[in-house]
Amino acid sequence: MPAVFQYESLLGLVAAAVLLEFVAWRLRLPPAAALISGGIALALIPGTPDLSIDPGLVLIVFLPPLLMSGAYFTVWREFRANLSSILMLAVGAVGFTTLLVGLATKWMVPGLPWAVCFTLGAIVSPPDAVAADAVLERVSLPSRITALLRGESLLNDAAGLVLFRFALTAALTGAFSLADAINTFCVLSIGGVVVGYIIGQGGLFLIRRLRDSELAIVATFLLAAIAYIGGESLHVSGVISTVTAGLLVGWHQHTDFSAATRVRAQAFWKITVFLMESVLFIMIGLSLKGVLARIHTVDDGLHTLLLPAAIVVATVIIARFAWLLGSHVLLRTIQMFGFFRARRSSVATAALMSWAGMRGVVTLVAALSLPDSLPGRDMILVSAFAVILVTVLVQGSTLGRAIRCLRLNGAEDLLVRQESEDMAWIRMSDAQQAAVIAMSQQPDGTQSHPRLVEQYTHRT
């Protein structure tokens, strides 16, 4: 395909993204659902060229900036306060879903090796950061639920990709060691944190010395690629490395970046994320063309591809509900006996988070990266695509309705008390008054600026 045609095709995708975003706004649909639907419609048009996606290129081009953006704008205080719950989702839920999907796939297709079944489970298990952000931006949720979902989506890609690597290696070689897998998982995770911290500190050292806002913003963009490539080059998790660097830069942005830089950075990242997310979701829809080309007859497609895919989709949804609701019941039972204290949650919260497990680009890229010689590759591709379609189009589109049905805002506000904006203004006024009084007071106790003190006292 000529380079000029590729560039024109990219411009066409961006134009389609703008149009589909407008349609989603008018119809009050999640943009991700509209973009995937638009991609499917384009794929079904006769004469549409086949979309050839290089999984490695997609990961290295799209994933680091999107992960950096999500981590950069993460509220660190909420992330740290909910870290144990985030890890339960990012590691526990991913592992549990991988196990159940593997068992269900083996039951549906007994001829597939166990390693291939668990490979499919690892592909569809991690909810995606891109899909989560695209949907969460358009719904109103309590801050704790948003922090849990975004924190989970930042970390579970690493867990899913590590499990995918283990399962695929076992499927291709026939060898698997649980001890080696656990050791490798720890090395990849801890190593990713260490590498990301070092790269993040190095990036901050450079950014502090850049006086120009544009240079500082470009440096943060490059930092995402450096963290990802550096982590992968050192054989640790590039995803965790990028997330760690993003969290570090985001934590220091208020002290190391000027106000003008922060405002411009927010605009830059918003546009960058919009373009990348839009193109990715349309590419997901366009990739259906290659999947449909592999279905030769209706009977073949129904029994060997579509039916197993439907079972996988159902298992993915049920596994998330089982893990979250089961964890909620277990935690409440333990708390009743006084063995463990934690922030209380509600059944409505667990149910909504179960419904909010959207899959996206990581699932697609992992499926497309499978070698052609792998048994059941076509079934895995169809299943992965079906999971993305159902979770984004169905769950993502009905998330706002689920919030209203569960009456979550009122229930969550009773469980988690948050200070209002009015209280924040009151505290700020008190601090201003105290500062003015302290600076105006003379050694003899009189005020050198009594009128100014009176004004701030009146404001308070």
Side-chain angles (χ1 to χ4, degrees), residues 135-167:
V135 173
L136 292 178
E137 283 183 357
R138 303 302 177 97
V139 297
S140 176
L141 282 173
S143 60
R144 180 169 182 263
I145 299 181
T146 303
L148 287 174
L149 290 174
R150 285 184 169 156
E152 175 200 11
S153 64
L154 286 175
L155 298 183
N156 61 13
D157 288 343
L161 290 175
V162 169
L163 289 176
F164 169 70
R165 182 185 301 180
F166 292 151

Side-chain angles (χ1 to χ4, degrees), residues 203-219:
L204 285 172
F205 178 82
L206 174 63
I207 293 172
R208 292 188 188 106
R209 284 151 180 80
L210 297 176
R211 301 296 182 182
D212 189 79
S213 296
E214 286 76 10
L215 292 178
I217 294 170
V218 172

Side-chain angles (χ1 to χ4, degrees), residues 28 118 122 154 210 231 254 271 282 330 341 354 373 408-409 437:
R28 297 182 179 179
F118 289 123
L154 286 175
L210 297 176
H254 297 287
I271 294 174
I282 292 179
L330 179 61
R341 288 184 175 272
S354 301
S373 59
L408 194 58
N409 289 329
I437 292 175

Side-chain angles (χ1 to χ4, degrees), residues 442-456:
Q442 298 294 315
D444 59 358
T446 62
Q447 295 289 336
S448 59
H449 301 284
R451 179 59 179 164
L452 189 63
V453 172
E454 180 183 356
Q455 289 178 350
Y456 275 91

Side-chain angles (χ1 to χ4, degrees), residues 294-309:
R294 295 181 175 88
I295 302 177
H296 302 292
T297 65
V298 175
D299 184 70
D300 175 60
L302 179 63
H303 291 90
T304 64
L305 297 178
L306 298 183
L307 185 58

